[in-house]
Amino acid sequence: MPIVKYPRAREPLYYEWDRRAQKCGLRHTVFAVNGDQYTGEWLDNMKHGKGTQIWKSTGAIYSGDWKFGKQDGYGSYSVPDPVTKEYKRVYTGWWKNGQKTGQGVSFYPNGERYEGEWSDGVRGGWGRMHYLDGSSYEGQWEADQPNGQGMLRLPNGNRYEGGWKDGKKHGPGRYFYVDKGQLLEGTWAEDIAKCGVLVDFSRDRAPAPTQYPIPKIELRDPDGVLAEAQALLDYSDN
């Protein structure tokens, strides 16, 4: 009886191509259609683990931790200088779901620097901002603005300690005029002091004190004042 051999069934080639295209584990550089490139670890076709991404349109580089296709963990983000083409750090710190979240340091193009907490990609929590003019703010942040309690220190040493709202002095606070040796303690609203008491403070150590010291106000006992008033009334009745 003749033996008939049937050809072994083979799966379509695109099944094999698809398996080879699956990215999992450590891979060499993978280029996207738009020219972006990624070198690092993968899991189920998503960037996951340690890796470096380069965006072709901007030249920006992120190197650090990834989780399910997004920056998550600790990493550094840098961009090339438009003139020198050298890379400059923009942010180094913690990320979550592709956003700056947690502790981190951000470097701004004009030379300013922020060190502190982030929330959903913006400054939020406790942090310190170093401004270009030499001043600095340290305190609470919310929605990328000073909000809550904080201290603003100016280049000449003067400082404000107190409440803030939407980046402006707001609420009870104290303004130390270190250069004049004076202290203003009062209430602010939208960066303007609405009311308060101005007194001398470390006047003997001030570099440019005012010509005359502020006279001290003596507070008298209210009971004593009433007693004096009653005595005057009694005297007038007699």
Side-chain angles (χ1 to χ4, degrees), residues 10-24:
R10 295 188 60 183
E11 61 183 13
L13 285 177
Y14 64 82
Y15 282 1
E16 177 67 18
W17 296 337
D18 185 62
R19 278 197 297 269
R20 292 184 179 182
Q22 297 299 310
K23 294 180 283 293
C24 188

Side-chain angles (χ1 to χ4, degrees), residues 7 110 136 141 145 163 167 197 204:
N110 61 358
S136 64
W141 294 76
Q145 295 285 348
V197 177
D204 55 335

Side-chain angles (χ1 to χ4, degrees), residues 57-103:
S57 60
T58 61
I61 293 180
Y62 170 81
S63 182
D65 297 323
W66 296 79
K67 187 175 181 180
F68 301 121
K70 295 183 178 181
Q71 298 103 313
D72 201 298
Y74 190 85
S76 180
Y77 181 81
S78 304
V79 297
D81 185 274
V83 179
T84 64
K85 305 302 179 182
E86 295 181 357
Y87 275 91
K88 293 186 176 181
R89 285 184 300 169
V90 175
Y91 174 80
T92 299
W94 292 92
W95 302 71
K96 186 176 182 180
N97 198 29
Q99 298 283 352
K100 291 173 282 190
T101 303
Q103 290 286 337

